[in-house]
Amino acid sequence: MSSTQSSNQGEDVKVVHTDGTINYVDRDAGGGDAAKMPDGYFTSPQFIGTVLVATAWTLGSSISFLLFGRLSDIFGRKYLVVGTSVLGLVSYIIGAVTQNVPTLIAAKLIIGIAAAG
């Protein structure tokens, strides 16, 4: 639990935690009030792409966790670990050099699949 104190806009907000630590946080660091965002921001391709990039890894790994246990019993752990390591390395390189959001989403999905192995 923490309490906050603020003065004027644009200044730091003092956050006092229950253990006595004090943090000063920029008032505008959180992105501001959602009501002040431009019309259509939350339905814009940029926002949707950001959400998909952020969740692609989680989707890939959560689905793969369900499959890789059984696959490692069938094919052996060594082959699964080596295969997912190579898959992860290739998809990290693709994600690093990509020039568009759909390719980045695909790379993050494959990285999530590789992380589950």
Side-chain angles (χ1 to χ4, degrees), residues 13-26:
V13 176
K14 180 180 179 182
V15 180
V16 182
H17 301 276
T18 54
D19 64 355
T21 58
I22 298 173
N23 292 335
Y24 292 95
V25 181
D26 183 6

Side-chain angles (χ1 to χ4, degrees), residues 2-116:
S2 63
S3 63
T4 60
Q5 299 173 352
S6 64
S7 52
N8 296 329
Q9 187 174 4
E11 292 184 8
D12 291 344
V13 176
K14 180 180 179 182
V15 180
V16 182
H17 301 276
T18 54
D19 64 355
T21 58
I22 298 173
N23 292 335
Y24 292 95
V25 181
D26 183 6
R27 175 185 297 276
D28 298 325
D33 188 7
K36 294 180 182 177
M37 298 302 286
D39 290 336
Y41 173 75
F42 295 108
T43 57
S44 68
Q46 293 84 3
F47 182 79
I48 301 296
T50 302
V51 170
L52 290 175
V53 167
T55 58
W57 185 91
T58 305
L59 290 174
S61 63
S62 61
I63 292 169
S64 299
F65 276 127
L66 298 172
L67 301 174
F68 284 166
R70 177 59 97 171
L71 290 176
S72 68
D73 290 341
I74 295 170
F75 299 109
R77 287 190 195 123
K78 177 182 176 184
Y79 296 113
L80 195 67
V81 169
V82 169
T84 56
S85 296
V86 170
L87 182 68
L89 180 65
V90 169
S91 55
Y92 272 117
I93 293 170
I94 291 170
V97 300
T98 186
Q99 297 290 319
N100 55 29
V101 175
T103 307
L104 182 61
I105 292 169
K108 291 293 281 187
L109 181 70
I110 297 170
I111 290 168
I113 291 169

